[in-house]
Amino acid sequence: MEATKTQIFRIDHANFGKTIRMAARIIREGGTVAFPTETVYGLGADALNPDAVLKILRAKGRPADNPLIVHVSSREQICKITEDIPECAFGLMDAFMPGPLTLILKRKAIVPGVTTGGLDTIAVRMPDHRVALGLIRESDTPIAAPSANLSGRPSPTTAAHVMADLAGRIDAVIDGGQVRIGVESTVLDLTSDIPTVLRPGGVGIEEIRGCVGRVLAGYHEPIPDVGGVVRSPGMRYTHYAPETAVVLIEGDPESVAARISRLIAEYHKKGRRVGLLVTEETAEQVSGDEDLVLCRRDDLEAYARNLFGGLRYLDGRDVDVIVADGSIKSEGVGAAVLNRLRRAAGDR
Ligand code: TXA
Ligand code: MG
């Protein structure tokens, strides 16, 4: 693709309005702008302009059948692009919007097929971030935005990560500092009989159950085809993976530490250098050639916040393999952390 000059807009108190106006102008003119949300940085374009949405796919190298999340700043905007909204959706909106929850609903015809990967459903989310909300409002259109990384790489949690992947491929990035949550939104399908989580994320499945009752976890098993249509196309592709191979060790803390130490010995025998992505407790028991200590074991929020940056950091060090500590609880945002690590490891 032809190189573009990527503008960097730094957000500070004094220039907020002016920066948002410049970025919104690019969106309205059909360009691409990466921006911070509370989860990860997104790569945005006008969701109702098919040429603009194509630019997102080209910049990321993303397959055209993988649908995008459409970001809105109000409920009225959700009603403009969706139909047949089920009753339970409104309770979820009250509880989690704005926030890290994406709802799959039926789409209206004004949404171009390229935005939804040709599906008759649409993913919508209202980000809980002043820059993201300001940009959507000022652009006066819903904004399609996948995570702002090259397809398959770890999602970006800083503007520097966005530039590392997409400099020269997008029109602009708004630098709003490090994100708060660090893993993507929870994707909840409301078009099936029972609400189904297609991707665990920032909102725990326990919290969603508290709001709507019965909820299926559709991501443990391969998601069944519905009448020949794959329900969550994104789940088919490699994801979140650095260049360096990732190995995930799951289990109780003691056996995880023991297995990591055995693995390090095996790799060292073969002359391979090992990077560790670990909790403080595990780091007290084992050490590799490069250790990145993320958080205390029970601080799942900190694990989530530091996860993708940690993978990128170790990827940039001189190691042949990254061994990740999966000794955390699979609850709340911990389920999302383990899901991303499993995918990064390609189930190794
Ligand atoms: O936190 C997030 O959700 C971030 C920020 C930028 O908002 N966005 C994000 O987008 O993670 P993306 O495109 O990387 O992930 C979208 C996920 C994919 O797994 C995709 O398959 C699924 O949502 N998805 C989108 N539309 C869908 C639909 N109509 N039906 C089923 N799954 C859908
Ligand atoms: Mg992504």
Side-chain angles (χ1 to χ4, degrees), residues 6-331:
T6 302
Q7 294 186 70
I8 303 179
F9 298 131
R10 285 209 172 74
I11 283 281
D12 64 48
H13 199 62
N15 72 0
F16 186 85
K18 190 170 163 234
T19 305
I20 295 292
R21 279 193 297 280
M22 287 194 293
R25 186 158 171 206
I26 297 175
I27 297 282
R28 277 199 307 272
E29 290 173 352
T32 49
V33 177
F35 60 95
T37 77
E38 79 280 34
T39 57
V40 300
Y41 274 71
L43 175 58
D46 182 348
L48 304 181
N49 175 343
D51 294 329
V53 173
L54 271 174
K55 288 184 191 164
I56 296 180
L57 303 182
R58 259 186 251 129
K60 284 186 54 106
R62 177 163 170 134
D65 61 351
N66 193 358
L68 306 177
I69 295 176
V70 175
H71 295 66
V72 299
S73 58
S74 69
R75 268 191 214 196
E76 293 69 59
Q77 232 170 8
I78 296 180
C79 296
K80 277 189 199 152
I81 54 179
T82 65
E83 55 194 20
D84 300 341
I85 303 179
E87 198 48 48
C88 71
F90 295 100
L92 288 163
M93 290 179 202
D94 288 338
F96 303 110
M97 284 195 187
L101 178 67
T102 294
L103 299 179
I104 308 292
L105 298 164
K106 280 232 169 320
R107 81 167 155 110
K108 277 203 179 121
I110 57 157
V111 184
V114 58
T115 303
T116 63
L119 299 175
D120 58 4
T121 56
I122 182 170
V124 292
R125 131 166 162 84
M126 193 187 297
D128 185 15
H129 196 290
R130 165 169 186 264
V131 171
L133 289 173
L135 181 65
I136 301 162
R137 262 184 225 123
E138 187 70 28
S139 304
D140 199 22
T141 184
I143 294 183
S147 50
N149 49 278
L150 283 173
S151 194
R153 323 291 310 161
S155 299
T157 54
T158 66
H161 297 160
V162 175
M163 288 300 279
D165 279 16
L166 299 177
R169 305 174 71 87
I170 61 177
D171 293 314
V173 55
I174 307 177
D175 185 349
Q178 201 191 332
V179 301
R180 179 164 61 81
I181 295 178
V183 293
E184 301 83 345
S185 61
T186 303
V187 176
L188 182 67
D189 186 359
L190 295 181
T191 66
S192 46
D193 291 339
I194 302 164
T196 304
V197 172
L198 301 180
R199 177 179 75 180
V203 176
I205 193 166
E206 305 85 350
E207 287 177 80
I208 299 174
R209 288 199 174 113
C211 184
V212 297
R214 189 154 178 235
V215 176
L216 301 178
Y219 53 91
H220 287 308
E221 321 298 338
I223 300 191
D225 283 8
V226 176
V229 179
V230 177
R231 293 257 306 276
S232 185
M235 304 301 268
R236 279 201 310 258
Y237 303 102
T238 328
H239 258 85
Y240 318 113
E243 310 261 358
T244 315
V246 176
V247 176
L248 171 65
I249 309 295
E250 291 187 60
D252 66 86
E254 283 316 308
S255 64
V256 165
R259 276 154 68 208
I260 290 180
S261 114
R262 278 204 304 278
L263 255 185
I264 293 172
E266 277 170 35
Y267 281 121
H268 281 173
K269 233 186 266 163
K270 293 186 228 160
R272 304 245 188 96
R273 289 172 56 80
V274 182
L276 292 188
L277 190 73
V278 282
T279 60
E280 284 177 28
E281 290 85 345
T282 300
E284 280 161 18
Q285 302 191 52
V286 292
S287 63
D289 300 291
E290 295 277 350
D291 297 346
L292 189 72
V293 181
L294 296 168
C295 57
R296 295 202 61 81
R297 180 172 291 129
D298 59 8
D299 192 349
L300 301 175
E301 277 72 31
Y303 204 133
R305 198 161 52 240
N306 299 325
L307 170 67
F308 287 134
L311 285 172
R312 280 178 183 263
Y313 169 80
L314 286 173
D315 207 19
R317 310 300 296 176
D318 176 25
V319 296
D320 303 299
V321 61
I322 297 170
V323 176
D325 179 352
S327 67
I328 57 167
K329 290 211 178 90
S330 180
E331 59 183 40

